[in-house]
Amino acid sequence: MPAQLTMYTTQWCAFCRRLKSQLARDGITMTEVDIERDPAAADYVMSVPTVVFPDGSVLVNPSAAQVKKRMAELAPSG
C-alpha cells in the first residue's frame, strides 16, 4: 500500500476544496485533517505548510499539478 498524503483543511477554505477536487479527479487520495475539529492539528498548521507528503516533505498551497508531480516522484519505481 502506498504511503498517504496528508492535507490540513477547513470547511470554508476555497483553496482546500479546489485542491481536494482536483486531486480526486487525478486519483490521488489523502488523509484529510480538519483543523477546526482538531486543536492540535491547528497548532501544527500554524507552524508548517498545508500539505505534507509521505516522505515528510511539504508544500504551501500547492497546485494539483505540483502535488501530482511530487507524488509521482515519490512513487516506487518498477
Side-chain angles (χ1 to χ4, degrees), residues 8-14 16-17 20 32-36:
Y8 293 87
T9 67
T10 64
Q11 294 297 314
W12 49 264
C13 175
C16 298
R17 285 193 307 271
K20 288 188 297 185
E32 183 176 353
V33 180
D34 185 338
I35 65 171
E36 291 183 320

Side-chain angles (χ1 to χ4, degrees), residues 48-64:
V48 299
T50 56
V51 177
V52 180
F53 293 91
D55 70 343
S57 62
V58 294
L59 284 175
V60 177
N61 295 338
S63 67

Side-chain angles (χ1 to χ4, degrees), residues 2-78:
Q4 191 73 25
L5 178 74
T6 302
M7 183 174 170
Y8 293 87
T9 67
T10 64
Q11 294 297 314
W12 49 264
C13 175
F15 167 80
C16 298
R17 285 193 307 271
R18 184 173 50 253
L19 181 59
K20 288 188 297 185
S21 174
Q22 291 169 340
L23 295 178
R25 184 180 60 231
D26 287 336
I28 298 172
T29 59
M30 75 190 79
T31 298
E32 183 176 353
V33 180
D34 185 338
I35 65 171
E36 291 183 320
R37 296 175 186 240
D38 184 339
D43 290 342
Y44 178 68
V45 167
M46 295 302 284
S47 66
V48 299
T50 56
V51 177
V52 180
F53 293 91
D55 70 343
S57 62
V58 294
L59 284 175
V60 177
N61 295 338
S63 67
Q66 289 172 305
V67 172
K68 188 175 180 179
K69 178 182 180 214
R70 183 70 185 132
M71 290 299 286
E73 291 169 354
L74 294 173
S77 48

